[in-house]
Amino acid sequence: MVIVRKDIPNGLMIAQAGHSIVEFSKEFNDLYNDWHNNSNYLIVLEIDNEEQLKDLYDKLKWYGANVVAFHEPDIDNQMTSICYYGTPEMRKHTQKLDLAFEKVEVATKN
């Protein structure tokens, strides 16, 4: 499970999601390999801003989640995304968040 901030540009959101997945793979290599070999489901959700992302990160840590945060050096080391191992119990804490880009309007050619 990846959570990105929706108050940053869409392209940056995508990059930050990737960064947090890489950080998760380094920090929790065995869980990452288990996910890759047995599930490979990836869900990207969005949250309003950095403050809410930090609060969610702290909450997930408190509940015992295997979670990492990514801080983007190019924007003053702001926390931009988190990645956690989405067990059914841990997913309860993020189930009310929207899918990333779910409400983005797509331009069409006329």
Side-chain angles (χ1 to χ4, degrees), residues 9-55:
N10 292 346
L12 189 57
M13 285 173 70
I14 294 167
Q16 301 314 294
H19 283 306
S20 63
I21 293 167
V22 170
E23 290 301 314
F24 186 91
S25 74
K26 291 174 15 185
E27 180 77 21
F28 299 106
N29 189 258
D30 290 341
L31 284 175
Y32 175 82
N33 286 332
D34 178 63
W35 165 80
H36 186 265
N37 294 327
N38 297 308
S39 167
N40 226 6
Y41 285 107
L42 177 60
I43 299 171
V44 182
L45 305 171
E46 61 186 20
I47 199 161
D48 287 337
N49 55 48
E50 185 180 22
E51 181 180 338
Q52 289 181 6
L53 185 64
K54 286 178 178 180
D55 289 346

Side-chain angles (χ1 to χ4, degrees), residues 1-3 35 39 41-43 45 56 59-60 63 65 84-97:
M1 301 288 294
V2 177
I3 318 296
W35 165 80
S39 167
Y41 285 107
L42 177 60
I43 299 171
L45 305 171
L56 178 59
K59 180 180 179 180
L60 288 169
Y63 281 108
Y84 76 94
Y85 197 71
T87 64
E89 183 162 323
M90 290 302 147
R91 287 196 319 254
K92 292 176 187 175
H93 302 292
T94 57
Q95 67 186 3
K96 292 185 179 179
L97 295 176

